[in-house]
Amino acid sequence: MAKDIQGLGLGLASRFAGSRWAEKYGLRKPAERIAYLSTRAGFKFAGEMMQKRAQKQDSTRGERLPERKPQALFDLSLSEEQQMIRDSVRSYAEEVVRGLAHDADENLQLPDSYLQDAMALGLNLFSVPESLGGAAQSYSPTTSAIIAEELAWGDFTLAYAALAPVGVANALVRWGTQQQQQRWLPLWLAEQPVTAAIALQEPHPLFAPDKLTCSAKSNKQGYVLNGVKTLVPFAGNADLYLVAALLNGKPQLFIVPGDSHGLNFTRSPAMGLHAAATGTLTLDKVQVNVDALLGGEDSDFDYRAFVDLGQLHWCALAIGTCQAALDYLIPYCNEREAFGEPISHRQSVAFMIANIAIELESMRLLTWRAAALAEQGQPFHREAYLAHVLCADKAMEIGTNAVQLLGGHGFTKEHPAERWYRDLRILGCVNSGLHL
């Protein structure tokens, strides 16, 4: 009953925050804050009660979010909750993220309070199950994809930085042991933002996620890790990393605290992702304890699914950025005149914009299809692979055409097209590093 009352209160607060009355009298932001705080307090109370019951169970297996029941039809319509989340995140992306993107890219770092402000969206809470004090009720890669899309509509890199810690939490929830969850997940419920990242990519040609050079060897204290990872965000200031390494010839993930001895970070800015402050992470005889192996020795960890979900996350970020490009290009081409008429009257321009819209829908359809299968616990490797291949190809094409349609403006930093182009290029280079 308490949960029903909480849900009713959240619904009323959320609807009021979006009403014209709240906008007229300047009450929208306070109402949104009330909804966020009440939800957090309510879920925290419910989580404490459920956690007391969970402590009575003698099990090392961590908390798992339930998968949704398979549906006879592939339904693309959003639930009321998903639509509410989508609208809220888009509003945040439009009002906050979009305005920060240019300076963050130029300064090669995140805005000072960006991660702290992003916590108001409640992303951390929705990464942690209710029974552990969070707000997640079920395993939902589709909802995660929607969130990634809408944040990336504001900016690809800032969305990546905000969601990198969420990816680590998702992996801990899906495969972590009870001890690992109880030790690390409280970081996602604290008042200060947690900085955490997945370190998978390696700096050697033709890198494949199942052919890692980073290695782990067991010893009396736990495991010793050696290797090099690249495109790791947060400039070496992460609280913890989820590092992929070979253990006895098999890819595994290890939880590595950011202050571990032998862990070194070298700043190496890339073509894109400037604000994420990416660089190279070197592990030189890094000693971690026996509990660092994600899921433990007898876990149900699925490395292939982990990589596939990471690919879908990159796809969702690309879709959001490509949608931003389309929304930017349409009014620009309608207003920009050449030879006495808008350039959109030219068939070559109109066809190019139409093709962007067509390819964008195909990218979204494949990504959501793969996420929906994963959400229902069905095989989704084929669909995830196809989604990544399509998104890597078409994102690059859309980024190129966005620069082309803006003409000389597309080559300048006055317009965001050149930044979109640089960020979208990452899909053709990276294998994972995120997780839905």
Side-chain angles (χ1 to χ4, degrees):
M1 180 177 179
K3 185 175 178 181
D4 294 338
I5 294 174
Q6 176 189 324
L8 177 62
L10 171 62
L12 292 174
S14 300
R15 284 178 173 80
F16 177 74
S19 69
R20 62 187 180 88
W21 299 103
E23 186 70 31
K24 180 179 179 180
Y25 294 105
L27 298 175
R28 182 171 60 81
K29 290 187 180 297
E32 288 177 346
R33 186 62 179 169
I34 290 172
Y36 165 68
L37 292 174
S38 63
T39 305
R40 177 171 186 154
F43 277 123
K44 184 176 182 181
F45 172 76
E48 289 174 351
M49 298 299 293
M50 296 181 70
Q51 193 167 10
K52 289 180 180 178
R53 293 201 301 267
Q55 288 174 352
K56 297 179 180 179
Q57 300 176 358
D58 184 15
S59 173
T60 58
R61 187 174 185 269
E63 183 72 21
R64 299 290 184 262
L65 291 171
E67 296 170 343
R68 295 194 177 184
K69 295 180 179 179
Q71 299 176 352
L73 296 175
F74 176 41
D75 185 7
L76 284 178
S77 60
L78 303 182
S79 66
E80 184 177 355
E81 180 186 8
Q82 287 175 326
Q83 188 61 54
M84 184 187 301
I85 292 172
R86 187 179 196 180
D87 293 342
S88 298
V89 178
R90 170 59 72 91
S91 177
Y92 181 79
E94 185 174 8
E95 296 180 9
V96 179
V97 178
R98 178 66 66 87
L100 298 174
H102 176 271
D103 289 346
D105 182 78
E106 287 290 291
N107 297 330
L108 303 180
Q109 63 182 11
L110 296 174
D112 292 337
S113 62
Y114 172 68
L115 293 179
Q116 182 70 55
D117 294 340
M119 287 185 66
L121 290 173
L123 299 180
N124 289 354
L125 291 176
F126 283 97
S127 304
V128 181
E130 286 182 340
S131 58
L132 297 177
Q137 296 179 329
S138 63
Y139 174 58
S140 184
T142 307
T143 301
S144 296
I146 292 169
I147 292 172
E149 278 188 37
E150 298 307 322
L151 267 183
W153 187 91
D155 182 64
F156 189 109
T157 304
L158 294 181
Y160 166 62
L163 295 173
V166 176
V168 176
N170 288 343
L172 286 169
V173 169
R174 184 161 192 191
W175 290 296
T177 65
Q178 187 179 66
Q179 184 175 359
Q180 289 169 343
Q181 291 178 354
Q182 290 177 351
R183 178 183 178 185
W184 295 110
L185 288 180
L187 292 177
W188 277 260
L189 304 176
E191 293 296 330
Q192 296 299 318
V194 59
T195 51
I198 295 171
L200 173 66
Q201 194 79 12
E202 296 181 352
H204 56 79
L206 303 177
F207 168 74
D210 58 343
K211 297 180 180 178
L212 302 170
T213 59
C214 185
S215 63
K217 293 184 179 180
S218 59
N219 60 14
K220 294 181 180 180
Q221 289 76 37
Y223 305 93
V224 177
L225 277 66
N226 288 281
V228 179
K229 299 294 181 179
T230 190
L231 288 175
V232 180
F234 300 128
N237 296 319
D239 297 312
L240 73 151
Y241 300 96
L242 207 53
V243 178
L246 282 182
L247 176 64
N248 300 324
K250 184 179 179 180
Q252 298 284 1
L253 294 182
F254 294 86
I255 305 169
V256 181
D259 58 356
S260 298
H261 180 71
L263 201 63
N264 298 293
F265 183 89
T266 303
R267 186 76 176 264
S268 52
M271 176 182 179
L273 303 181
H274 283 180
T278 58
T280 301
L281 188 70
T282 302
L283 298 96
D284 183 13
K285 299 178 181 178
V286 175
Q287 177 70 58
V288 292
N289 60 36
V290 69
D291 295 325
L293 177 62
L294 184 67
E297 294 183 355
D298 299 322
S299 72
D300 57 350
F301 175 62
D302 187 343
Y303 184 73
R304 183 70 266 172
F306 165 77
V307 173
D308 288 339
L309 288 166
Q311 303 288 35
L312 292 179
H313 211 152
W314 284 113
C315 290
L317 291 175
I319 292 167
T321 301
C322 289
Q323 183 68 60
L326 178 63
D327 294 343
Y328 193 90
L329 290 171
I330 291 175
Y332 179 90
C333 292
N334 283 332
E335 296 169 5
R336 182 77 170 178
E337 291 191 359
F339 305 106
E341 62 179 356
I343 61 174
S344 60
H345 290 185
R346 302 289 175 173
Q347 282 191 342
S348 59
V349 173
F351 288 173
M352 190 178 291
I353 293 177
N355 189 63
I356 290 175
I358 293 170
E359 300 298 355
L360 178 58
E361 286 304 310
S362 66
M363 292 162 62
R364 181 176 286 115
L365 178 64
L366 269 180
T367 301
W368 283 18
R369 174 58 173 163
L373 289 173
E375 191 167 306
Q376 296 171 11
Q378 300 184 35
F380 68 101
H381 171 64
R382 174 181 178 274
E383 286 75 13
Y385 175 79
L386 293 175
H388 183 257
V389 169
L390 180 69
C391 288
D393 181 31
K394 298 307 177 181
M396 191 66 260
E397 178 183 315
I398 292 172
T400 301
N401 289 341
V403 173
Q404 185 66 34
L405 286 169
L406 266 62
H409 287 159
F411 195 69
T412 68
K413 292 184 179 295
E414 178 185 357
H415 295 266
E418 62 86 25
R419 187 176 70 251
W420 293 334
Y421 173 87
R422 290 187 284 106
D423 287 342
L424 288 170
R425 189 67 184 87
I426 188 66
L427 261 75
C429 307
V430 76
N431 280 278
S432 191
L434 287 171
H435 181 73
L436 286 177

